[in-house]
Amino acid sequence: MSRTQKHWWIVPVVALAMANADESARAAGQDDKAAGGVNASQITAITALAEAAPRDASQAAAPAQRPLAQDATQPDTDFPIWFLKSTRLIDPRLRPSAGIRVPRVSPREGGPLLFPNFPENDPGFVGGQTMPWSIRGSLGLFSVDRERDSSRFQEYRDVRDGTTAGLEAHFRDNRSVFNLLGRQLGRRDQDLTMDGALVGKFLWSAFYDETPHTYAFGAKSLYTGLGTNVLSIADSIQLDLQNSTTLPQATAKLTDYFNQQGQSFDASLRRQKTGVDVTLLSAYPFALKAGFSNESRDGTQLASASFAFYDFSEIPFPVKYDTRELKVTAERARPESRLYWSATYRASDFIDRFQTLTFDNPLRAVDSLGTYTTTFQRGPATGALALPPSNTYQEGSTSVVIKDLPLRSTLNALVSAGYLRQDEALMPFSTNSAVTLSSTTNPSFNATDLAGLPRRTAKTAMNTDTVHVRWTGTLTPKVHFNQQYRLYKLTNHEQPFEMLMFVREDQDPRFPETAGASYRTVLADFTKHTSTSEISYDAPADTHLSATYTFERMNRSFREVAWMNDNKAKVAVDTRRFGMLDLKSWYEFTNRTAAPYDNNQYNDVQGNPVGRPILPLLRKFDEAAYHKHEWQGMVTAYVNDATSVSGHVELVGTNYTDSPFGVLWDRRHAYGVDVTYAPSARWNVFADAGLERVQYEQGARSWRAPSPASAAAPFAPEPGFDSFSNWTALATDIYSSAGLGFEFFIVPEKLRLNMQYTYARSDGQEEFTSPLGTSAADDTNLFVPLPFTDVDDTVWHTFNPEIEYTLSKQVSLSAGWHYEKWRSADYTTDGFVNVNNYQTFFPFSTNANGLAMETGGFLPPPYRVNVLYVRMKVGF
């Protein structure tokens, strides 16, 4: 066969592989939405074949004595025997993954490694030899009880009564490729992807998907205007609550109004994403790629807003925005060339339909002055929040790959520059018309007057710069090296703000700590350098050894530390020298050092004198020096061709070496095991279990301020570290999970039974310690603190038996039951009611009581759901 003829039978195979290159990432069928597009290696492969291929069938004619057809469906073809295979999981997203299975062929005999356990979807494919197309559909009918008992069940999916469909189709001939995949069609979590190619001309792909996010079913609110940026409460309700004389009276009134006039609503978001990508290949070796996508989110979520330190309301927060992205790439890619080059322009535009959110104060009908600790007696009638601002980001980048350098090495380099701009209109200082402020240009203005702002728009600007260089090669046939350097720089070009005063909680004018000073905004930015050196050795007996050293330095502006250095050393081993055992393990040690910690950084920026009350021994954990150890080990034992056992251990520990207060240390231990037994093609059993334990400890100090003017003075009475008022908190979370399942072909290739059970549990607690003093004069914690034993405790069960009968190669029927149960326990939910009053302690406050208006949306109730379904799959 000639070189040209060989290329022609390879082209469709390469094109089909290209169109399905993202299969492994989407096989699990969960939130795996398609991104579209192709990469450089795919373009290189298909364009190289297209260049060598003839442009029509007549050019491929063989000698007259044996005419060759280049259509696989024709007789006397030199195509290999092939068929199109349906490989995508198009069934409804119900069954969780529980364990893994071994392949029918041992990896020692060249078979695949372990793969996920979801069953083969018979009929997985149909079609005879040299069939140029295939199509497969799935139609399911669901009956669901208690589907709306809890938003937790439906949080990111749509499982309800009714039908759902899946569709997969493929087509290819000697020059064209087309693929289509649709899942959950007709549901709020549906997705549809298409891609295709005309060999040597162009590639294209398009997608649409939806993802719901449900926060609460049947939440209640006194607000009207849900879904908009203006939330209102009837004036009569506000006035009645404002006229209350005691906190219990206000609480009783608010509870009655809430129960009688509160409207129910579902707090949820709908995410929709669409996109298209096109790649032009006709100018080979040059290719031009263009892609556009739009993601929109629309709905209502819940947020907390306060009108004083003691009064807050859950508000239905409106979400209505779009994120549009355009990406254009030009590249030069020729397989036989040493040089690959590309240049890319990317533009992202975030458009928020609402700039601000205003919401009525349920406790006030008239604006009045007050302190930030007051309640219904005084304060603003309306609150306001700035919503995420619309902004744009543009980036230009270029990359180069040079192959066949000395030491059989390859050099990759990337340089990019980005520009982020945001110039949203600013809000006034306050919604409270009773507040009067002053500025450098306006000595007296109402806090609601935009004329008092330092400027009318944000005028924010940031630039990003990235340089990434990678050099890989071979020192000897068994010794390889990898050198990398990366620079990332974020530069802040915002015009700073300067203010003489602002309004706290929309009711309390606040002046700078230092008389005659002003408040200044801090324009933080940073630069990060990362350098990595790796050397690896291919040892005998199928063993791979590697050692890596990474140095990372971050320089920061206007932070407590001016720089941080991370030194990381890592060693790894991967071996099969022990017969049927595969061993993988690595260990990494990180030592972080940092510049001297400037606790007075805030005061320095604001021009306050040295010595103002601060927390001199506190260290923020992301700026603190530490030692970190990480070790992971994995082993897989292939006991025989039917049995495998796999286990892993991961240990992580961090000690913050220079942190008397703040986070002191953290630990993470994780263990897991999987067992699979598959003695024949008719049945197999699989099981898994996992345990993870996470702990961290933090320290701080309580204090009794000498006077209201120096509330933040925990070290004024006791300048040193030792104090009876010191305390530590130890947080512990334990996560355990287990899964068990089996698959049994009752009648080979006809009747299959599949069953899976999964269990997951989380158990958290908080423990406190504090030395006990002898009197309130030397100990603000004059008691033994009790632990919180129920912190985010949850238990989750799922059970899913299914039976499937294959009528023919084209049709199969299945029926199943999915049971799911979830419950939670937390100390914050015990005895909780939607509207309540509470008491708090604040040393210098004259009002230690507050009022809360809750919708109940933050507390998803437990659920127990049964799903019965039947499904038919048809394929041609």
Side-chain angles (χ1 to χ4, degrees):
M1 185 181 292
S2 69
R3 174 177 180 269
T4 299
Q5 293 164 347
K6 290 179 181 178
H7 275 303
W8 266 108
W9 75 259
I10 293 174
V11 165
V13 178
V14 174
L16 185 63
M18 170 206 68
N20 290 282
D22 62 342
E23 168 55 27
S24 62
R26 289 191 262 175
Q30 299 300 317
D31 193 19
D32 48 0
K33 308 302 187 181
V38 295
N39 59 39
S41 61
Q42 295 165 352
I43 293 176
T44 299
I46 197 168
T47 51
L49 297 174
E51 182 189 46
R55 295 305 179 188
D56 56 58
S58 62
Q59 291 179 281
Q65 67 272 20
R66 189 183 176 210
L68 295 176
Q70 297 307 319
D71 185 344
T73 62
Q74 300 298 315
D76 299 320
T77 181
D78 273 350
F79 266 89
I81 296 175
W82 59 271
F83 51 81
L84 287 172
K85 182 175 180 179
S86 298
T87 59
R88 315 301 280 272
L89 188 69
I90 60 175
D91 298 336
R93 298 186 184 107
L94 272 179
R95 183 183 298 114
S97 180
I100 49 181
R101 296 185 304 174
V102 294
R104 299 288 186 261
V105 181
S106 167
R108 300 301 179 187
E109 301 173 9
L113 296 178
L114 300 177
F115 57 90
N117 70 355
F118 16 76
E120 298 152 356
N121 296 308
D122 293 330
F125 67 88
V126 292
Q129 299 174 357
T130 70
M131 187 174 181
W133 60 271
S134 71
I135 185 170
R136 183 170 64 117
S138 171
L139 181 65
L141 177 63
F142 282 74
S143 175
V144 186
D145 75 325
R146 301 177 180 178
E147 63 185 62
R148 288 178 57 87
D149 274 9
S150 174
S151 59
R152 180 68 176 80
F153 175 68
Q154 302 276 19
E155 187 171 6
Y156 295 107
R157 58 185 176 180
D158 183 8
V159 182
R160 52 188 164 89
D161 289 345
T163 60
T164 183
L167 180 65
E168 181 187 8
H170 302 285
F171 170 79
R172 69 180 183 185
D173 61 14
N174 60 340
R175 296 190 61 81
S176 301
V177 176
F178 174 77
N179 302 285
L180 180 146
L181 176 68
R183 297 174 297 185
Q184 297 290 99
L185 299 178
R187 299 277 169 145
R188 290 189 295 267
D189 54 354
Q190 63 186 331
D191 63 86
L192 180 67
T193 63
M194 296 182 291
D195 59 74
L198 184 61
V199 176
K201 295 294 185 181
F202 62 85
L203 313 172
W204 66 273
S205 65
F207 69 91
Y208 169 81
D209 68 53
E210 293 186 39
T211 304
H213 190 174
T214 304
Y215 299 97
F217 288 133
K220 295 187 69 174
S221 178
L222 278 176
Y223 288 109
T224 60
L226 302 184
T228 73
N229 66 331
V230 178
L231 302 177
S232 303
I233 295 177
D235 294 344
S236 59
I237 296 177
Q238 290 179 281
L239 186 60
D240 187 27
L241 290 169
Q242 176 182 298
N243 292 333
S244 301
T245 57
T246 65
L247 184 66
Q249 184 186 56
T251 301
K253 290 180 180 180
L254 183 56
T255 301
D256 289 341
Y257 283 126
F258 194 87
N259 292 334
Q260 296 173 15
Q261 299 187 31
Q263 59 175 319
S264 297
F265 69 99
D266 292 345
S268 63
L269 297 181
R270 181 188 187 192
R271 190 199 80 168
Q272 296 175 287
K273 191 171 183 180
T274 57
V276 61
D277 292 275
V278 177
T279 302
L280 302 179
L281 306 173
S282 55
Y284 176 81
F286 296 98
L288 180 65
K289 298 189 287 186
F292 176 79
S293 65
N294 181 79
E295 178 179 330
S296 63
R297 300 199 183 194
D298 192 357
T300 301
Q301 63 186 77
L302 300 174
S304 180
S306 65
F307 301 94
F309 275 12
Y310 301 128
D311 300 319
F312 62 90
S313 298
E314 274 185 25
I315 57 175
F317 192 95
V319 175
K320 195 175 184 64
Y321 62 74
D322 293 280
T323 303
R324 298 169 180 170
E325 183 166 308
L326 172 68
K327 187 176 182 180
V328 179
T329 299
E331 67 177 29
R332 180 190 182 276
R334 185 189 293 268
E336 64 273 19
S337 174
R338 296 177 57 202
L339 177 67
Y340 166 85
W341 168 86
S342 71
T344 300
Y345 168 76
R346 183 166 69 95
S348 180
D349 192 12
F350 175 80
I351 305 170
D352 199 334
R353 308 300 176 181
F354 299 131
Q355 296 182 1
T356 61
L357 170 64
T358 60
F359 46 94
D360 282 348
N361 183 350
L363 307 177
R364 293 289 306 173
V366 180
D367 289 334
S368 68
L369 283 174
T371 64
Y372 64 95
T373 58
T374 57
T375 180
F376 58 89
Q377 295 96 337
R378 56 185 69 88
T382 305
L385 292 173
L387 300 182
S390 299
N391 60 80
T392 60
Y393 179 75
Q394 300 183 68
E395 181 186 77
S397 64
T398 183
S399 62
V400 177
V401 179
I402 305 176
K403 301 183 296 182
D404 300 330
L405 295 173
L407 300 178
R408 290 182 286 179
S409 63
T410 299
L411 180 67
N412 298 261
L414 168 70
V415 178
S416 70
Y419 306 90
L420 176 63
R421 299 294 183 266
Q422 188 265 106
D423 197 27
E424 197 86 342
L426 297 179
M427 299 170 57
F429 279 97
S430 176
T431 60
N432 194 333
S433 59
V435 179
T436 300
L437 301 177
S438 62
S439 70
T440 55
T441 59
N442 193 338
S444 180
F445 66 93
N446 191 282
T448 61
D449 189 353
L450 292 173
L453 295 173
R455 58 178 182 263
R456 293 298 183 92
T457 60
K459 298 188 185 304
T460 58
M462 290 185 178
N463 292 350
T464 63
D465 299 286
T466 304
V467 176
H468 190 185
V469 180
R470 183 183 182 191
W471 182 35
T472 58
T474 302
L475 298 176
T476 72
K478 292 184 176 295
V479 179
H480 313 279
F481 68 89
N482 178 2
Q483 302 289 318
Q484 293 189 69
Y485 169 75
R486 188 176 190 270
L487 165 69
Y488 182 80
K489 185 176 183 180
L490 177 67
T491 307
N492 198 326
H493 294 286
E494 177 186 336
Q495 180 181 338
F497 289 99
E498 186 170 353
M499 301 168 288
L500 295 182
M501 55 196 304
F502 67 90
V503 185
R504 181 167 45 178
E505 295 292 318
D506 276 323
Q507 54 185 299
D508 179 29
R510 182 170 181 179
F511 298 89
E513 291 88 343
T514 303
S518 61
Y519 290 105
R520 302 181 183 93
T521 54
V522 179
L523 308 182
D525 53 25
F526 68 90
T527 302
K528 181 185 290 187
H529 303 264
T530 307
S531 177
T532 301
S533 299
E534 179 182 358
I535 190 165
S536 60
Y537 174 60
D538 296 329
D542 203 5
T543 299
H544 183 78
L545 307 173
S546 66
T548 307
Y549 170 72
T550 299
F551 173 76
E552 183 171 278
R553 181 181 178 91
M554 177 179 285
N555 299 314
R556 294 181 170 184
S557 300
F558 299 110
R559 293 297 300 271
E560 284 77 10
V561 296
W563 55 263
M564 297 187 307
N565 289 341
D566 287 4
N567 289 274
K568 300 180 182 180
K570 181 178 180 179
V571 293
V573 59
D574 182 354
T575 182
R576 294 185 178 181
R577 66 171 299 154
F578 302 105
M580 300 300 288
L581 288 180
D582 287 353
L583 300 177
K584 295 182 180 181
S585 182
W586 58 265
Y587 167 77
E588 182 176 84
F589 172 73
T590 303
N591 178 41
R592 169 172 288 181
T593 56
Y597 202 91
D598 181 12
N599 294 91
N600 207 57
Q601 191 269 340
Y602 166 79
N603 290 322
D604 292 340
V605 172
Q606 302 301 337
N608 296 326
V610 177
R612 275 200 54 81
I614 53 175
L615 295 167
L617 300 182
L618 174 67
R619 300 290 184 266
K620 297 180 179 179
F621 76 94
D622 64 327
E623 300 178 80
Y626 65 72
H627 292 160
K628 186 175 185 179
H629 303 266
E630 298 179 74
W631 177 77
Q632 186 176 101
M634 295 179 287
V635 58
T636 301
Y638 301 100
V639 180
N640 50 49
D641 287 349
T643 309
S644 92
V645 179
S646 177
H648 75 270
V649 178
E650 184 177 3
L651 307 176
V652 181
T654 306
N655 295 317
Y656 292 88
T657 56
D658 191 29
S659 296
F661 288 140
V663 179
L664 307 179
W665 55 264
D666 65 65
R667 304 284 186 271
R668 178 175 177 269
H669 298 172
Y671 313 91
V673 62
D674 294 277
V675 180
T676 302
Y677 180 58
S680 72
R682 289 193 61 178
W683 68 281
N684 61 80
V685 180
F686 45 92
D688 71 281
L691 177 67
E692 182 177 355
R693 180 186 179 93
V694 180
Q695 283 187 306
Y696 73 89
E697 185 177 43
Q698 61 178 335
R701 175 179 293 182
S702 301
W703 70 92
R704 180 174 293 106
S707 68
S710 56
F715 288 87
E718 299 172 294
F721 172 74
D722 294 326
S723 171
F724 287 115
S725 296
N726 290 352
W727 58 265
T728 59
L730 176 63
T732 303
D733 288 293
I734 299 175
Y735 308 95
S736 53
S737 63
L740 177 66
F742 73 88
E743 185 178 37
F744 176 47
F745 284 88
I746 302 172
V747 179
E749 300 184 2
K750 282 290 185 181
L751 187 61
R752 178 179 64 87
L753 176 64
N754 182 78
M755 190 176 298
Q756 295 187 55
Y757 168 76
T758 61
Y759 166 84
R761 180 188 181 94
S762 65
D763 184 7
Q765 66 177 16
E766 298 271 1
E767 299 175 85
F768 300 90
T769 59
S770 178
L772 190 62
T774 58
S775 68
D778 63 3
D779 187 2
T780 59
N781 309 320
L782 196 58
F783 59 89
V784 177
L786 297 177
F788 294 100
T789 57
D790 296 328
V791 181
D792 291 332
D793 291 355
T794 64
V795 178
W796 182 59
H797 303 264
T798 69
F799 180 57
N800 189 182
E802 181 184 80
I803 189 166
E804 182 177 44
Y805 179 66
T806 301
L807 283 74
S808 66
K809 288 185 176 181
Q810 286 75 30
V811 181
S812 70
L813 296 174
S814 59
W817 168 44
H818 178 83
Y819 172 79
E820 191 167 324
K821 179 181 178 181
W822 180 84
R823 63 177 175 83
S824 66
D826 190 276
Y827 72 97
T828 62
T829 65
D830 293 340
F832 187 86
V833 293
N834 280 347
V835 181
N836 69 316
N837 69 298
Y838 57 94
Q839 292 186 335
T840 186
F841 173 75
F842 213 73
F844 52 89
S845 172
T846 58
N847 173 22
N849 297 317
L851 196 62
M853 183 175 75
E854 295 276 352
T855 67
F858 288 140
L859 306 171
Y863 66 84
R864 184 174 60 192
V865 178
N866 291 278
V867 181
L868 299 176
Y869 62 92
V870 294
R871 183 176 63 245
M872 179 176 67
K873 290 187 287 187
V874 179
F876 298 96

